[in-house]
Amino acid sequence: MGFLHFDDSMDIIDNIEIKNYKKSKRYLTDTMGYILAQDITADYNSPEYPTSAMDGYAIKHKDLELKRLKISSINPAGSELKDEVVDGYCIKTFTGSLMPKGADTLIPIENVTVDGDEIIINEGVPYGFSVREVGENFAKGDKLIKEGTRINFTDIGVMASLNIVSPLVYEKPSVAILSTGSELLELGEIQTNSAQIRSSNNYILEAIVKKYGGNPIQLGCIGDDKQTILDMIKDAISSSDILVTTGGVSVGDFDFVKDVIVELGYEVLFKGVRVKPGQHIMLAKKDDKFILGLPGFAYSSTVTALLYLVPLISKFQKSDFRIEKVKATLKEPFAKRHKKAEFTACNISILDGEYFVDFDGKKSGTSAILTNMLGSTALLVTSEDDSSKEVGDRVDILLLD
Ligand code: AMP
Ligand code: MG
């Protein structure tokens, strides 16, 4: 299998179909950030009855000309009032109280003077003033929130007002994360020889999975031993939806992961993409389970996780989420050196609502340089067909915040 054009690898991701979506009901206040798996339709009118929007007196509008009205009763919010407003009378009514029968208008307290058991009208109001009509907020049968919506605070509020205690949502896929490499040290592990390096990949991936809607299962680091890798992968994938590995997918002597994937009977969707950083990326599938093999270098595994893992996670929630791409203007030239799709760390600034890009302080070197992604960084996107860019050129960038 030759290396794929980057766009073709993205098409493969696009065309992935999950056969059996996992959905479950979650308690409303635990659904923030989940994707709704049902339409939310109003099953009543809000408000169901004409309701007062201010504190004041419920009146018949035509009685305004009388200038003086008798107060017949008082109508606090939450009480079911039997009394009716009759000619020449008013009922004291509060914000959120149902409008009493017979009344069509609310005159606010600010517009009247109370004189014993009467009000004197100082300033009139138009017909229907401060009365919330039936269905003002929503009407019975209105589709208020569509399936596929990422639940935000307003959705939670609207569902609460509909008494939806446990909406149906797509479950977040569980993503097992495993870094391979005999040189790797986990957080806190004591170094015993100078060839060891501190692993960052599995921790970055855990953070990415959390940020972009998956449930991470952190498996840490394991050495480049074929049997250990095989056992670990088998075990990990049996209890997760996605297994993402880093390291061990290039052509080095100890790069076993790719063999192991085939041994487990996974169908390889692609292996190797003309993309920088990355290149040695493998995606394999069996039923609704996926193994994504990412390269070992920290910058490479981070960028390729954003490109491939993030949309894959969203697939499990029937969504085609991608890292947001926007237009920006180059403040510095960009030399295109590789005939590959490239994702280059750049600084972004915003001036008059426009994004600008420069490369101040960005080191050139290998894909080990993770620190290039610190700060206010985006990824400049160029395709394998692009040539070098000049100052002022409009380019695409991926936003990481
Ligand atoms: P590999 O893809 O396994 O050949 O690894 C490529 C490079 O990335 C090597 O220099 C590794 O030491 C480094 N590397 C591999 N795994 C990690 C990791 N988990 N964290 C940081 N660097 C890594
Ligand atoms: Mg390795």
Side-chain angles (χ1 to χ4, degrees):
M1 207 186 283
F3 279 20
L4 273 188
H5 191 290
F6 174 73
D7 295 350
D8 294 334
S9 70
M10 282 291 123
D11 287 346
I12 290 175
I13 298 273
D14 274 343
N15 291 329
I16 284 171
E17 278 178 26
I18 303 297
K19 292 203 181 65
N20 293 302
Y21 289 103
K22 294 183 194 164
K23 303 172 188 179
S24 59
K25 283 177 172 274
R26 285 187 79 81
Y27 186 60
L28 181 63
T29 55
D30 288 334
T31 59
M32 184 72 186
Y34 279 78
I35 306 286
L36 251 185
Q38 66 172 120
D39 288 329
I40 300 297
T41 304
D43 61 354
Y44 72 99
N45 299 307
S46 170
E48 196 71 87
Y49 303 96
T51 302
S52 166
M54 289 180 88
D55 293 338
Y57 296 84
I59 58 167
K60 290 177 186 293
H61 188 259
K62 69 171 181 53
D63 283 353
L64 281 177
E65 62 185 30
L66 301 176
K67 297 288 180 206
R68 248 178 198 277
L69 296 172
K70 269 202 162 346
I71 306 168
S72 62
S73 56
I74 174 162
N75 172 27
S79 64
E80 260 192 292
L81 188 78
K82 303 277 180 304
D83 297 351
E84 213 175 306
V85 172
V86 295
D87 289 355
Y89 282 79
C90 65
I91 292 179
K92 188 163 190 192
T93 296
F94 299 86
T95 309
S97 301
L98 301 187
M99 286 296 286
K101 284 210 180 68
D104 52 40
T105 301
L106 188 107
I107 183 138
I109 44 174
E110 294 83 354
N111 291 34
V112 305
T113 307
V114 179
D115 180 18
D117 62 352
E118 290 186 346
I119 56 168
I120 301 161
I121 290 157
N122 303 321
E123 199 188 327
V125 288
Y127 181 90
F129 188 79
S130 255
V131 178
R132 295 178 53 219
E133 286 310 324
V134 172
E136 178 211 47
N137 195 8
F138 49 76
K140 185 173 177 171
D142 282 355
K143 194 193 278 186
L144 298 178
I145 313 173
K146 285 206 197 101
E147 174 182 352
T149 302
R150 185 176 295 278
I151 296 171
N152 207 339
F153 44 81
T154 309
D155 305 296
I156 289 179
V158 168
M159 286 191 275
S161 67
L162 292 169
N163 194 30
I164 295 173
V165 179
S166 311
L168 190 68
V169 296
Y170 289 98
E171 282 180 20
K172 294 183 175 185
S174 52
V175 184
I177 301 160
L178 181 64
S179 281
T180 70
S182 296
E183 73 280 32
L184 299 176
L185 287 171
E186 294 193 38
L187 267 181
E189 199 179 339
I190 292 172
Q191 185 159 11
T192 53
N193 79 57
S194 47
Q196 292 168 320
I197 64 152
R198 208 49 78 177
S199 174
S200 53
N201 294 351
N202 51 311
Y203 303 106
I204 294 187
L205 290 181
E206 181 175 340
I208 288 176
V209 169
K210 275 187 193 149
K211 175 164 176 170
Y212 293 103
N215 277 329
I217 303 173
Q218 179 61 259
L219 299 177
C221 305
I222 54 169
D224 294 304
D225 171 71
K226 183 165 183 173
Q227 196 54 49
T228 315
I229 293 175
L230 181 67
D231 293 345
M232 197 74 177
I233 288 182
K234 262 190 203 157
D235 203 40
I237 196 65
S238 71
S239 54
S240 58
D241 301 300
I242 301 171
L243 166 65
V244 55
T245 65
T246 72
V249 284
S250 59
V251 287
D253 284 346
F254 296 97
D255 294 338
F256 299 135
V257 171
K258 59 179 185 302
D259 303 336
V260 164
I261 288 172
V262 177
E263 254 170 67
L264 285 176
Y266 272 70
E267 176 200 354
V268 175
L269 300 182
F270 59 78
K271 194 172 89 185
V273 179
R274 296 198 295 274
V275 60
K276 192 174 165 48
Q279 184 138 297
H280 297 290
I281 303 151
M282 156 155 26
L283 181 62
K285 170 182 190 295
K286 192 170 162 185
D287 305 322
D288 277 346
K289 288 183 186 279
F290 294 84
I291 298 176
L292 178 63
L294 301 179
F297 275 130
Y299 180 70
S300 306
S301 61
T302 305
V303 171
T304 51
L306 295 170
L307 298 175
Y308 294 100
L309 180 58
V310 168
L312 190 57
I313 288 171
S314 84
K315 279 283 177 185
F316 280 82
Q317 295 151 89
K318 215 179 184 178
S319 149
D320 287 311
F321 180 82
R322 293 279 173 90
I323 302 288
E324 191 185 359
K325 191 192 269 186
V326 297
K327 290 277 176 204
T329 304
L330 280 183
K331 291 208 296 196
E332 274 180 48
F334 171 74
K336 181 84 182 164
R337 295 202 182 89
H338 305 271
K339 209 174 152 38
K340 292 175 188 169
E342 279 183 84
F343 294 86
T344 310
C346 57
N347 305 304
I348 45 169
S349 48
I350 301 177
L351 194 69
D352 295 334
E354 293 267 343
Y355 286 103
F356 288 86
V357 161
D358 68 69
F359 304 97
D360 265 4
K362 299 293 183 204
K363 295 178 187 164
S364 57
T366 68
S367 298
I369 310 174
L370 180 62
T371 48
N372 270 347
M373 291 184 83
L374 289 173
S376 189
T377 293
L379 297 174
L380 169 69
V381 183
T382 52
S383 84
E384 70 174 52
D385 314 305
D386 275 330
S387 46
S388 292
K389 306 272 181 198
E390 303 304 328
V391 174
D393 279 358
R394 297 283 281 165
V395 291
D396 287 327
I397 57 170
L398 297 183
L399 295 179
L400 304 186
D401 274 332

